[in-house]
Amino acid sequence: MHGRILIINPNSSRSCTDGIAEAVAPFAAPGLPRFDVTRLTDGPPAIVTWRDWFSVAEPLCREVEREEADAYVIGCVSDPGLEAVRTVTDRPVLGMFRCAVTAAMARAERFGIIGFTQKSLPRQRRALQSLGVEDRMAAWIPLDLPMEVLTDPVAPQGRIAAAARELKERGAEVVILGCAGMAGHVAVAAEASGLPVIEPCQAAAAAALLAVLGARIPSVAI
Amino acid sequence: MHGRILIINPNSSRSCTDGIAEAVAPFAAPGLPRFDVTRLTDGPPAIVTWRDWFSVAEPLCREVEREEADAYVIGCVSDPGLEAVRTVTDRPVLGMFRCAVTAAMARAERFGIIGFTQKSLPRQRRALQSLGVEDRMAAWIPLDLPMEVLTDPVAPQGRIAAAARELKERGAEVVILGCAGMAGHVAVAAEASGLPVIEPCQAAAAAALLAVLGARIPSVAI
Amino acid sequence: MHGRILIINPNSSRSCTDGIAEAVAPFAAPGLPRFDVTRLTDGPPAIVTWRDWFSVAEPLCREVEREEADAYVIGCVSDPGLEAVRTVTDRPVLGMFRCAVTAAMARAERFGIIGFTQKSLPRQRRALQSLGVEDRMAAWIPLDLPMEVLTDPVAPQGRIAAAARELKERGAEVVILGCAGMAGHVAVAAEASGLPVIEPCQAAAAAALLAVLGARIPSVAI
Amino acid sequence: MHGRILIINPNSSRSCTDGIAEAVAPFAAPGLPRFDVTRLTDGPPAIVTWRDWFSVAEPLCREVEREEADAYVIGCVSDPGLEAVRTVTDRPVLGMFRCAVTAAMARAERFGIIGFTQKSLPRQRRALQSLGVEDRMAAWIPLDLPMEVLTDPVAPQGRIAAAARELKERGAEVVILGCAGMAGHVAVAAEASGLPVIEPCQAAAAAALLAVLGARIPSVAI
Amino acid sequence: MHGRILIINPNSSRSCTDGIAEAVAPFAAPGLPRFDVTRLTDGPPAIVTWRDWFSVAEPLCREVEREEADAYVIGCVSDPGLEAVRTVTDRPVLGMFRCAVTAAMARAERFGIIGFTQKSLPRQRRALQSLGVEDRMAAWIPLDLPMEVLTDPVAPQGRIAAAARELKERGAEVVILGCAGMAGHVAVAAEASGLPVIEPCQAAAAAALLAVLGARIPSVAI
Amino acid sequence: MHGRILIINPNSSRSCTDGIAEAVAPFAAPGLPRFDVTRLTDGPPAIVTWRDWFSVAEPLCREVEREEADAYVIGCVSDPGLEAVRTVTDRPVLGMFRCAVTAAMARAERFGIIGFTQKSLPRQRRALQSLGVEDRMAAWIPLDLPMEVLTDPVAPQGRIAAAARELKERGAEVVILGCAGMAGHVAVAAEASGLPVIEPCQAAAAAALLAVLGARIPSVAI
């Protein structure tokens, strides 16, 4: 078999889970590991508070213990439970936020983030601290839109375009979409800002491919 | 067409170029962008000094101006000419070192690097400064072996294993192979240290896939 | 009434809870807020893993919602659930680790920490990152002793003295006892190192008194 | 005896000295160390310049050599002479500014400071550098009011409220009153900003209690 | 002989080269090393892009190999080729930008830079990273004037004065003229801002004198 | 007149004062500002403690108020009273330590310091913090020799050579002599380490020349 990458969405939203699957679809190809996307059916509708963030760690650990995979991705752009999940498996475990930030850093020196709501900042800030790159964030701009508006094909375009433009004015050289719910709006942010745009589901897909395929390189020693 | 990722090895070594091609081969798949690997036939045999490092910037710019691609990778683990090449094309340009370091950061908080020779440290240190993560490097250990020994299937294994173990003792949580010439020794470093190992050619391959496929996500707006 | 400070030990150990009560006893006085110490009867025997650390956040929130107090202290030297608990009450919520580190910083520029076990480092490191003072830690030395040995009046004295001395040699100017289980060994660490020693339960008691009494200062405006 | 904490106001102002005594009064209780507050009768009327700041170091050393105490507090929110005074006694010596900043850090990640006058910034910035947390200050806003206005029960309320609100808008999560003269305005700043407010005299009182009582914890070894 | 300090202007502009000579003239004196100023006749008219910046490294190395001197100065305020040139001679090699920034730091804690054009920022930022003082730059303000306007005795005065004033308002305590072409405008920037002004050609002259004369101090051992 | 640079040695040692004069002599030349070196006759024999350090600030201010000069240098490698002296004159005031560290940074990325005694470290560390470059110090090695031994032509050579070599091994790329008393041993440190050596008296002389001559550049506007 070619391997399996399991993306676990810690919230229970089916539409959000579908959006993740759609975002990573371009990375699926014959002979490469396949991407499966699942969700915590008993999880919160979204990870909106610190309490939500802590609450999904244990269910994520159990899901990983239950489900065999070659690599796991925590499918929320605040990396809930990452440290715990890494202790229950020997396989690589990735967080979408860390994957997005590091992917952005490979493209430019200063990144900007479009946040879901003001409430999301402290959790993303904590992850930036763990990466040691808090001071490379040029700006963080929340949309504060309801999830259903955010995932609408058209409704949030103006707000996303405006945020992307403002991030550029404030020194961002690359834009990170700070929530999986914005996955459909990569083009809008890119056109508005003229900057590269990093979509976290895709950044995690690329990182997971590296984690799985990297181990496959034929050792010249054999 | 499915797109083309061009990896340009700034040195003239054919064997080094072949090693890069071998390292990225696992990332090739039907429907995904194809990887082409070329070299600067007039480049130095290896990038060993600052003078070598500066000298390849202009030839790299010319090669990129000559060759159409959807993304470019500078195929040396010191990212020579990266800033210049980014000014001559609108397409994404990636450096193998920055890709490797950021990929390592997605896996753990402290990384260690096995260097080619002591002489390589200043250039990698400069790139770490540009990323702002100099203090996340637990240790940097050079092998100081001739390239032909380094690329030998067996000869350098003991040295690489010892370096990987020492990096772990000194606090590294992930190991970066600091030269494309070590691409064949991922397994040795991984077994010796028990840590994830990042191979820069592959890290760049994954980052390039993200850069090309990321732009392909269907905008929900259309 | 004079106010109540509730210290919640997130583990279920009765002896550990008693040790906390003993450590804060000197701060109790007529007219000052009283200290109550409780525990999570369903909590883990100790917070040893990331999984333990995440698991107590929700029970801590519920306990705080249940119990009226003028200030709350999370009684574990890794501050589990701190961010979550702060969202469920308007009253001050303190973490013993953050209180100990900041108290140490008021005494000297470089601190050293005697850790419970090697496993505790990542959680304390994360909290240091949130404080932005990771680079002020001169050294972190784990004892790796079983809790029952650690809390023994005599058994761990040699190890604690040796660790305190080594911290000083490595540049520490103040010593932090990194686990509530060491509360009884302040004198040993102080005598061995000749440095001030910060005991986290007490550091939290002082910080809680400030949080409660600080609000009591008569406004000159009234 | 229960111990004595001596707070030395390095300026000669009687009203400022009384204000300090009033601020720490809530921390006095039967059985706890008593707080005595004195002043340098030959000191400057206030510490307004670098020259004032340097000039009080020697008199502070002499006062500490003259006066027995279990802990000393330098009663000015710029910590003048702290390093020198620490060399003339084995007892703990605390600076009000360092106590206030570290107390604020135990409450939140970003603090803001309401300064006495623009002239005070360089000295507080130097102390922040010694703590290594300069980049955790969200903003520093001076009042530039004469001391008699600052200590008036009513006059400065509008300015203090406005400053506290602005600190919050600029990212502060906790407010530090940057001069002992503002001790009476804690409530105003708290109500205006909705943030916790740290008053340095009180922060130093709590830190001094910890320094004195901390040494009192019965060693389980005896 | 009294020694020779060779300043090599990496661009081909004769007027720019003359401006450098004029700026360092006050440092020439009997008995001290003499300053010679040369230029790369085949260099670009100015160092405006990254491509220009990389392109002059090799010619600078050759010039240094050709020309005997006791110390060398790279005469452009972006330090092109510095690392490479240092490998081709045992004599001290200085970059005007690093000399200017470090000279400014000897005068005050926060510096501001008046840049040539917006395009110059990334190269100066990279050098600041190598010095580790990126966060000490209060502000960077480009003039975006053509070189012929910049070097005009009168034309750019208003813009330079305005930039100097704005740097002060944004926290700069010392002003750095970010391009040799501004050498004639020291007085304007100083009068407008009331701050010390560092002119890079002169800062490099002083650093070169130190490098040459420093080795001349009679060893007491002989 | 050609201007006067006044170097004030804050200690009362005549031999130390003579050593400073000898160190800066090579910088004197016809037409350039002249260097005068004086001392605080009532100062301590040396600046050995924090108390000494604070005590000379006021006398230094008075001396500067008394003595006309175009620039002032505080002649001790711990920059005592620098902030205060800068408030009593409009002329440039330099500290030997800051001048030495910044001069070293113009030469290389990592510096090492040979200290007078272990007691000197905290004051030099505080100055490094004010410069924001504490983490660029590869190592700090004290000699702990009596001043009369340190200034002996021969006696301390072995110790200085050993310290310089160790600094290099620990990553220093340039060596700073951390006390004016070592001024005669530049050659020894340079030969032993093969690194550039910065002598603070001379670094301050060069910085003072820049401060005085810099203002002399003819404004093109006139």
Side-chain angles (χ1 to χ4, degrees), chain B residues 105-144:
Chain B
M105 291 172 63
R107 298 293 301 276
E109 278 185 28
R110 297 275 186 286
F111 54 86
I113 300 178
I114 302 179
F116 173 29
T117 77
Q118 185 61 44
K119 278 190 143 70
S120 324
L121 176 55
R123 282 172 293 288
Q124 294 191 340
R125 200 165 69 178
R126 179 76 74 252
L128 290 175
Q129 293 164 346
S130 78
L131 290 169
V133 297
E134 217 180 347
D135 64 354
R136 290 314 180 93
M137 180 166 72
W140 191 95
I141 300 173
L143 294 179
D144 290 314

Side-chain angles (χ1 to χ4, degrees), chain C residues 66-151:
Chain C
R66 232 187 337 261
E67 289 282 333
E68 257 307 312
D70 296 278
Y72 300 88
V73 173
I74 296 174
C76 170
V77 193
S78 66
D79 300 352
L82 180 63
E83 297 89 344
V85 174
R86 283 179 168 167
T87 66
V88 301
T89 175
D90 291 340
R91 300 304 175 89
V93 181
L94 296 157
M96 283 189 168
F97 184 69
R98 282 164 173 81
C99 289
V101 170
T102 52
M105 291 172 64
R107 298 294 301 275
E109 278 183 29
R110 297 275 186 286
F111 54 86
I113 300 178
I114 302 179
F116 173 29
T117 77
Q118 186 61 44
K119 278 190 144 70
S120 323
L121 177 55
R123 282 172 292 288
Q124 294 191 341
R125 200 164 70 178
R126 179 77 73 251
L128 290 175
Q129 292 163 346
S130 78
L131 290 168
V133 298
E134 218 180 347
D135 64 354
R136 290 313 180 93
M137 181 167 71
W140 192 93
I141 300 173
L143 294 178
D144 290 315
L145 295 171
M147 185 56 86
E148 62 274 16
V149 177
L150 190 64
T151 53

Side-chain angles (χ1 to χ4, degrees), chain D residues 4 14 33 36 65 116 121 133 135 165 182 192 195 204 216 219:
Chain D
R4 176 195 195 200
R14 192 175 262 101
D36 289 341
E65 289 172 323
F116 173 30
L121 177 55
V133 298
D135 64 355
R165 269 189 296 268
M182 300 179 211
L195 298 176
R216 300 241 179 113
S219 167

Side-chain angles (χ1 to χ4, degrees), chain C:
Chain C
M1 70 100 171
H2 297 308
R4 176 195 195 201
I5 293 164
L6 181 62
I7 303 174
I8 310 172
N9 171 13
N11 73 45
S12 58
S13 156
R14 192 175 263 99
S15 68
C16 179
T17 309
D18 296 343
I20 294 172
E22 211 172 294
V24 302
F27 291 81
L32 295 191
R34 100 172 173 276
F35 291 92
D36 290 341
V37 187
T38 179
R39 62 191 167 101
L40 294 184
T41 49
D42 301 336
I47 307 294
V48 180
T49 67
W50 274 113
R51 203 168 178 175
D52 297 327
W53 188 86
F54 278 96
S55 71
V56 297
E58 186 58 28
L60 283 167
C61 288
R62 290 210 206 86
E63 181 72 6
V64 166
E65 288 172 324
R66 232 187 337 261
E67 289 282 333
E68 257 307 312
D70 296 278
Y72 300 88
V73 173
I74 296 174
C76 170
V77 193
S78 66
D79 300 352
L82 180 63
E83 297 89 344
V85 174
R86 283 179 168 167
T87 66
V88 301
T89 175
D90 291 340
R91 300 304 175 89
V93 181
L94 296 157
M96 283 189 168
F97 184 69
R98 282 164 173 81
C99 289
V101 170
T102 52
M105 291 172 64
R107 298 294 301 275
E109 278 183 29
R110 297 275 186 286
F111 54 86
I113 300 178
I114 302 179
F116 173 29
T117 77
Q118 186 61 44
K119 278 190 144 70
S120 323
L121 177 55
R123 282 172 292 288
Q124 294 191 341
R125 200 164 70 178
R126 179 77 73 251
L128 290 175
Q129 292 163 346
S130 78
L131 290 168
V133 298
E134 218 180 347
D135 64 354
R136 290 313 180 93
M137 181 167 71
W140 192 93
I141 300 173
L143 294 178
D144 290 315
L145 295 171
M147 185 56 86
E148 62 274 16
V149 177
L150 190 64
T151 53
D152 180 273
V154 180
Q157 290 188 11
R159 295 288 305 284
I160 287 171
R165 270 189 296 269
E166 185 183 344
L167 288 176
K168 185 183 191 175
E169 275 152 29
R170 289 167 64 177
E173 298 158 353
V174 54
V175 170
I176 296 169
L177 301 184
C179 168
M182 300 180 210
H185 301 296
V186 170
V188 173
E191 283 146 25
S193 66
L195 298 176
V197 174
I198 302 295
E199 196 291 309
C201 305
Q202 300 194 315
L209 281 180
L210 174 61
V212 175
L213 297 177
R216 299 242 181 111
I217 180 167
S219 168
V220 296
I222 290 132

Side-chain angles (χ1 to χ4, degrees), chain F:
Chain F
M1 70 100 171
H2 297 308
R4 176 196 194 199
I5 293 165
L6 182 61
I7 302 175
I8 309 172
N9 171 13
N11 73 44
S12 59
S13 155
R14 192 175 263 99
S15 68
C16 179
T17 309
D18 296 344
I20 294 171
E22 211 171 295
V24 303
F27 291 81
L32 294 191
R34 101 173 171 276
F35 291 92
D36 289 341
V37 187
T38 180
R39 62 191 168 101
L40 294 184
T41 50
D42 302 337
I47 307 296
V48 181
T49 66
W50 274 113
R51 204 169 177 174
D52 297 328
W53 188 86
F54 278 97
S55 71
V56 298
E58 185 58 29
L60 283 167
C61 289
R62 291 211 205 85
E63 181 72 6
V64 166
E65 288 173 325
R66 233 189 336 262
E67 289 281 334
E68 258 306 312
D70 296 278
Y72 300 89
V73 173
I74 295 174
C76 171
V77 193
S78 66
D79 301 352
L82 180 63
E83 297 88 345
V85 175
R86 282 179 169 167
T87 66
V88 301
T89 175
D90 292 341
R91 301 304 175 88
V93 180
L94 296 157
M96 283 189 168
F97 183 69
R98 281 166 175 79
C99 290
V101 170
T102 52
M105 290 172 64
R107 298 294 301 275
E109 277 184 29
R110 296 276 186 285
F111 54 85
I113 300 179
I114 303 178
F116 173 30
T117 76
Q118 186 62 43
K119 279 190 143 70
S120 323
L121 177 55
R123 283 173 292 289
Q124 294 191 340
R125 199 164 71 178
R126 179 76 74 253
L128 290 175
Q129 291 163 347
S130 78
L131 291 167
V133 297
E134 218 180 347
D135 64 355
R136 291 312 180 93
M137 181 167 71
W140 191 95
I141 300 172
L143 295 178
D144 290 313
L145 296 171
M147 184 57 85
E148 61 274 17
V149 175
L150 190 63
T151 54
D152 179 90
V154 181
Q157 291 188 11
R159 294 288 304 284
I160 287 170
R165 270 189 295 269
E166 185 182 344
L167 288 176
K168 185 183 191 175
E169 275 152 29
R170 289 166 63 178
E173 298 159 353
V174 54
V175 170
I176 296 170
L177 301 184
C179 168
M182 301 179 209
H185 300 296
V186 170
V188 174
E191 283 146 25
S193 65
L195 298 176
V197 174
I198 301 295
E199 196 291 309
C201 306
Q202 300 195 314
L209 281 180
L210 175 61
V212 176
L213 297 176
R216 299 237 181 116
I217 183 169
S219 167
V220 294
I222 289 129

